[in-house]
């Protein structure tokens, strides 16, 4: 990933890096943060697809957004 061979994660890394430059996120290892975000969302999606949530897709999306918001608050600069 650090070799920038992932088009999807490259975009995410660029955004996270820009947020760190602006001071919106604490300075840290960009790629570790990106992998944490990916793992976080991926975990939710795997659980969703396995039928572990009894909610609509809209409710699920809102749950993931709330969860990401909490994660970002912890990373905020």
């Amino acid at each position: 990933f650090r070799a920038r061979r992932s088009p999807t994660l490259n975009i995410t890394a660029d955004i996270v890096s820009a947020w760190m430059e602006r001071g919106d996120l604490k300075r840290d290892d960009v790629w570790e943060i990106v992998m944490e975000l990916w793992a976080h969302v991926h975990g939710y999606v795997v659980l969703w697809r396995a039928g572990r949530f009894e909610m609509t897709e809209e409710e699920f999306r809102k749950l993931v957004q709330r969860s990401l918001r909490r994660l970002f608050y912890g990373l905020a600069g």
Side-chain angles (χ1 to χ4, degrees):
F1 294 103
R2 289 181 190 273
R4 299 189 63 87
R5 291 189 204 135
S6 171
T8 304
L9 288 186
N10 289 345
I11 293 168
T12 307
D14 292 344
I15 292 168
V16 168
S17 181
W19 289 345
M20 286 181 185
E21 289 293 321
R22 283 197 325 240
D24 295 333
L25 295 180
K26 297 173 191 171
R27 289 206 179 266
D28 205 327
D29 185 293
V30 170
W31 286 102
E32 285 185 16
I33 300 298
V34 168
M35 296 301 261
E36 288 171 13
L37 293 170
W38 180 25
H40 189 84
V41 172
H42 184 264
Y44 267 112
V45 171
V46 168
L47 291 169
W48 166 258
R49 293 186 55 108
R52 301 295 181 150
F53 296 97
E54 292 185 13
M55 56 180 60
T56 67
E57 182 176 340
E58 182 180 346
E59 291 169 329
F60 172 74
R61 288 175 180 268
K62 288 179 181 179
L63 168 68
V64 174
Q65 289 171 354
R66 287 191 306 273
S67 180
L68 282 170
R69 191 174 307 116
R70 287 184 199 105
L71 181 63
F72 278 118
Y73 284 150
L75 297 169

